[in-house]
Structure formats: C-alpha cells, structure tokens
Amino acid sequence: MQHIENKLKNIKLVITDVDGVLTDGSLIYSSEGEILKIFNVKDGLGIRLLMENGVQVAVLSGRDSAVLRKRISDLGIQHFQLGKLEKETACYQLMQAVGVRPEETAYIGDDSVDLPAFAVCGLSIAVADGLSYVKNQADLVLETCGGRGAFRELADKILMAQGKAENYQTAQGFLKQAQKMAQ
C-alpha cells in the first residue's frame, strides 16, 4: 500500500470514465427517447475538492450526451473528451492539455474500454463493481461501487496522501473549501 500512497502523493490529474464510475452504468430512457443518467452528489463534491486543491479532473467517456455536458459544466470541469472509445490517445491528449506527465496522472474506470487508459496512466483505479479482469489490472481497487461515491473515495485518498485531509475531514477546513467553491 505504501507504493500506492507514493503514487497518490504525485497525482496532478485524475481522468475519469463516466458510465460505471460517475454513474452506476444504468441508462434511463424517457418516453421521448432521451437518455437520462443519475450522478452521485458525493462524487461531484470530490471532483470540486480535488480541483480546489490543485488536482485537475478530466472526463473521458465513450458516450456524449447533453446531460453529461451539463454535469461537466455544472462542476466546472474544463478538460474532457466525449464520444471517445479509443482512450489511449485521448488520455495522452488530456495529459498534454493539462501539462502533466503519465506518472502524475490517475485513471478511474470499470470496463474493458478503460484498459488502454490503464496502460498509459501512472495510476490505474477500478471501482468495486468493475469487471474482474479490469480490477486485476488496476493498481488500486476501491471499496465503493460506481455511481455510489467511488470517485469521492478516490478524491479522499488523494487528498489524504497529499496532506490535505483537513479540507474534507474538519468543519473549518471544509468551510475554507466551500468559500473557494462559491467564488
């Protein structure tokens, strides 16, 4: 675990998959055929906490939708690639856009489409309900399932490793973060 702790300390960019990570992987269709997704507010706060503490967050999804674009906008995420099934090149492009090296980049995923991203990022993370062969290739397997706060679990681990746990574990620390988020 010390090896993982050292990797977490150096993370400057987290690239996240969406379906199966920020959502539970379900697609809900309205009667008009619109696809709806359910996002977990804990993950959203984890994303904001990372960004307020100097760790960039990027979204990389095989799908593109208006609801996903709205969520990205609401969270203030500036780096994203949507409708990308070829995630290796997309990860390199996101790293270049942010100005980080692979060893400073973490990727969180759950399915086969995420394996090329695992191969090029310095730290690969799988959600608890990821497919077994994906979890076997991950550096870290979370205890939380996708869409249930898995990203938040990762955010807390990164902030703890970087000595910033007070920013989410204490009232005063969180109040400082909340003030930054409100600006």
Side-chain angles (χ1 to χ4, degrees):
M1 190 62 182
Q2 187 61 39
H3 174 67
I4 299 298
E5 193 83 13
N6 288 335
K7 285 187 172 195
L8 290 167
K9 281 182 190 175
N10 296 318
I11 296 302
K12 294 182 180 175
L13 170 64
V14 177
I15 302 173
T16 183
D17 178 39
V18 176
D19 296 324
V21 175
L22 296 180
T23 75
D24 68 2
S26 299
L27 296 177
I28 303 167
Y29 285 83
S30 72
S31 59
E32 293 81 34
E34 181 183 11
I35 297 175
L36 307 173
K37 298 179 185 222
I38 298 172
F39 295 95
N40 190 300
V41 70
K42 291 177 188 173
D43 291 331
L45 185 54
I47 288 169
R48 291 299 310 216
L49 284 167
L50 283 179
M51 293 190 312
E52 292 301 333
N53 283 279
V55 178
Q56 291 295 312
V57 176
V59 171
L60 176 52
S61 179
R63 294 178 167 276
D64 188 356
S65 68
V67 70
L68 176 54
R69 288 180 179 271
K70 175 70 171 137
R71 183 66 173 153
I72 289 169
S73 174
D74 286 352
L75 291 171
I77 297 171
Q78 297 191 11
H79 301 283
F80 55 89
Q81 292 211 18
L82 308 178
K84 301 283 184 177
L85 289 176
E86 198 280 277
K87 293 191 174 186
E88 179 179 305
T89 302
C91 281
Y92 282 128
Q93 290 169 345
L94 289 167
M95 287 180 232
Q96 183 177 26
V98 174
V100 298
R101 298 183 316 267
E103 59 271 17
E104 299 170 319
T105 305
Y107 184 90
I108 179 171
D110 71 307
D111 208 334
S112 300
V113 69
D114 301 309
L115 294 175
F118 277 18
V120 298
C121 293
L123 180 64
S124 56
I125 301 105
V127 296
D129 59 339
L131 297 168
S132 61
Y133 46 86
V134 174
K135 293 191 294 187
N136 288 341
Q137 293 189 47
D139 296 313
L140 174 64
V141 177
L142 301 172
E143 296 177 17
T144 311
C145 293
R148 302 284 183 247
F151 190 96
R152 177 58 185 273
E153 180 186 342
L154 175 60
D156 288 358
K157 286 180 183 301
I158 291 169
L159 293 173
M160 181 168 287
Q162 295 182 357
K164 299 174 182 174
E166 74 280 354
N167 293 339
Y168 65 91
Q169 288 184 348
T170 68
Q172 290 306 313
F174 181 74
L175 285 174
K176 283 196 294 186
Q177 298 304 299
Q179 288 173 345
K180 285 195 240 177
M181 288 181 216
Q183 295 174 354

